[in-house]
Amino acid sequence: MPNAEITGWGKCLPPAVLSNHDLEKLTDTSDEWITTRTGIKERRISHVEVSDMAEVASRRALAAAGKEPSDVDLIVLATCTGDSIIPSTAAILQDKLGAYNAAAFDLNAACSGFIYALVVASNMIRAGTHRTVLVVGSEKLHYHLDFTDRSTAVLFGDAAGAVVLEATEEPVGLLNSELGMDGSVWDILRVPKDGNVGDPGPRLPEEGGIRMNGPEVFRRAVTTMSEAAVRTIEGAGLQLDDVDLFIPHQANVRIIDAAAKRLGLPESKVFINIGSYGNTSAATIAVALTEALEEGRVSPGDVIVFAAFGAGLSWAAAVLRWGDRVTPLGTSDADLPPTDKDAFALLEPNLEYYGRPELPRDE
Ligand code: UT7
C-alpha cells in the first residue's frame, strides 16, 4: 500500500490588512480586549474570491513539489465560503489552474476542513486510486462579518493554503488520524441562512452573518482538540514526547495554550501565527504548515501533529511523519492581481448590508 507524502506547500495572503486599531473604528471593541482575549493583532481582507486565493496557493505548492497542474489527478478543496454552491469551487479552481486531468470536489467541515481533506486525500492515495493530489484550504470569511456583532466580527480573516500529496513507498506521511462531528450542537456556530433552506429569495441581514455561542465553542474546543490529538498520537504507537511540532487550528491563543498544556508540550513545539491572521478556518493549518517550513521549524523525519475543531461541531486530528525534503524544489511567481482598496473599502459592503454599529465616541 503506498503512503501519501506532502511534497509541496504554499500559501496566499491577500494584501489588505485590518488591524485591531482599525476594528476600533468599525465596531465597539479595543485592541486591548482582542489581544488579551484572543491573541489576534491583525487579519487579512480579500479583494478576490476563494478560488483566486486557492489558485495562487496551489501554484506555489505545485512549484514547491516540482509539479505541473496537469500532473494532478485529484483536487480536494476545503472551504465553507466557496465562490458558489453550484458548481463546486473546486471546479472553478481546476479551470483556473488548467488542471483538467484532475477529479475535483469541495469539502465542508468548517475549520476542521483542511485536516478532513488531508485525511480523505491520503486515504485515496493509499487505496491506490490517485497518485498526485492537491489539497487546498481557502476562505473568504469577511463576506459574513457583521460588525454589529462584535463578538464574532473581530475573530476571522481571509487566506488560502495548499499542499501537494504524492504516492510514495517510503514510510512517511499520515500515520494516524481521527475525524469527528457532534451534530447535536450544530446551532452554536453558524451562518443562519446561506443555503437552500426556506423559500427562494434574498436573505435578510438578520439571516446572515456568523453567529456563535463563543464560550460554549471555546469550552468544547479545548477538550475535543486535545483529547483527539492524544488519541491519535497514542493510536499511532507514539508518545507525546515523540511529537516534534504541534500545529493546532488558530481560533484563539487561549484555546491553543490550554490544548498545549493538556498535551504537556513546551512552547517551542507549538506553532502559533494567530496574531497575524486571526481565524482563517480551513486555510489555517495549511498556512501554518507552510510558515513552519519557511521558518525552518520542520526537520526531516519529524513527527507533526495537526488538530482542529470548528462549526458542526467538527473536529479532526492527524499525526504525520515528515519526509526527507524540507525545502521547496521550485518557486512560483503566481500572485493575486493588485488592488488599491484598503480593508475599510473592502468592508464597506458589510457595513451597508448589516448596519453600522454605534461606536463609544458616537455616544
Ligand atoms: O474555529 C472555531 C471558531 N470559533 C472559536 O473558536 C471561538 C471560541 N470562542 C472564543 O474564542 C471566545 O469565546 C471569544 C473570543 C469569542 C469570546 O471571549 P470570551 O472570553 O469567551 O468572552 P465572552 O463571550 O464571555 O464575553 C465577555 C465580555 C462580554 O461583556 P460583558 O457581558 O461581560 O460586559 C462581551 O460583550 O466581552 C465582551 N466582548 C467584547 N468586548 C470588546 C465580546 N466581544 C468583544 C469585543 N470587544 N470584540
Side-chain angles (χ1 to χ4, degrees):
M1 184 174 77
N3 289 310
E5 179 180 6
I6 297 179
T7 56
W9 48 89
K11 63 179 182 180
C12 174
L13 280 323
V17 175
L18 181 72
S19 71
N20 290 350
H21 290 295
D22 294 335
L23 273 168
E24 291 171 354
K25 299 179 188 123
L26 296 173
T27 190
D28 181 8
T29 192
S30 65
D31 171 50
E32 201 264 332
W33 190 95
I34 303 170
T35 305
T36 54
R37 304 309 291 168
T38 73
I40 303 167
K41 294 301 285 183
E42 58 186 40
R43 67 289 288 143
R44 301 298 178 93
I45 304 297
S46 179
H47 63 294
V48 296
E49 305 309 334
V50 159
S51 59
D52 298 311
M53 290 186 283
E55 180 196 351
V56 171
S58 298
R59 288 194 184 280
R60 292 174 179 175
L62 286 165
K67 292 282 169 192
E68 296 297 328
S70 56
D71 296 327
V72 176
D73 55 18
L74 176 67
I75 298 170
V76 187
L77 173 60
T79 186
C80 56
T81 54
D83 296 8
S84 67
I85 292 176
I86 302 171
S88 69
T89 308
I92 301 169
L93 174 62
Q94 189 226 40
D95 184 42
K96 287 186 174 168
L97 289 170
Y100 299 114
N101 296 326
F105 63 91
D106 288 359
L107 184 156
N108 181 356
C111 300
S112 310
F114 181 76
I115 304 179
Y116 259 70
L118 187 77
V119 170
V120 167
S122 297
N123 286 335
M124 289 174 86
I125 286 177
R126 287 159 145 188
T129 56
H130 296 81
R131 292 194 64 81
T132 307
V133 184
L134 189 58
V135 180
V136 191
S138 185
E139 302 278 16
K140 190 175 101 172
L141 289 150
H142 92 253
Y143 186 84
H144 298 288
L145 294 185
D146 170 1
F147 290 95
T148 68
D149 180 358
R150 65 179 180 175
S151 69
T152 56
V154 303
L155 302 176
F156 299 96
D158 305 333
V163 299
V164 175
L165 283 179
E166 285 185 67
T168 175
E169 296 308 319
E170 299 299 315
V172 297
L174 191 66
L175 300 177
N176 195 26
S177 62
E178 177 177 314
L179 305 180
M181 181 70 78
D182 181 2
S184 70
V185 286
W186 61 266
D187 60 344
I188 65 174
L189 173 49
R190 64 190 186 124
V191 176
K193 184 178 183 338
D194 212 40
N196 292 347
V197 173
D199 297 327
R203 68 174 192 203
L204 302 169
E206 60 271 25
E207 292 171 332
I210 298 176
R211 310 295 169 198
M212 176 169 67
N213 178 341
E216 188 58 27
V217 175
F218 189 109
R219 194 178 62 75
R220 289 169 181 272
V222 174
T223 29
T224 8
M225 196 163 76
S226 38
E227 285 174 7
V230 171
R231 278 192 297 269
T232 311
I233 295 161
E234 291 176 351
L238 298 170
Q239 295 178 347
L240 294 170
D241 273 355
D242 296 321
V243 175
D244 295 298
L245 188 63
F246 178 49
I247 304 185
H249 178 49
Q250 314 276 315
N252 187 321
V253 78
R254 292 186 293 136
I255 295 177
I256 296 173
D257 288 346
K261 200 168 158 199
R262 283 177 176 231
L263 269 70
L265 293 173
E267 259 178 48
S268 59
K269 290 188 173 185
V270 182
F271 190 84
I272 301 180
N273 65 356
I274 187 172
S276 308
Y277 309 125
N279 182 348
T280 60
S281 188
T284 303
I285 289 193
V287 171
L289 173 66
T290 299
E291 296 198 338
L293 282 147
E294 289 168 350
E295 292 169 20
R297 302 265 309 258
V298 179
S299 301
D302 271 1
V303 171
I304 300 180
V305 176
F306 298 143
F309 63 93
L313 283 183
S314 61
W315 73 87
V319 181
L320 286 87
R321 186 172 296 283
W322 199 260
D324 285 339
R325 188 163 54 78
V326 292
T327 51
L329 284 177
T331 54
S332 163
D333 56 8
D335 213 341
L336 297 178
T339 176
D340 51 11
K341 285 190 174 173
D342 65 9
F344 290 108
L346 293 165
L347 290 166
E348 185 56 29
N350 296 59
L351 296 165
E352 287 274 321
Y353 184 67
Y354 290 110
R356 290 168 205 277
E358 210 167 80
L359 302 180
R361 66 168 186 278
D362 298 336
E363 286 163 4

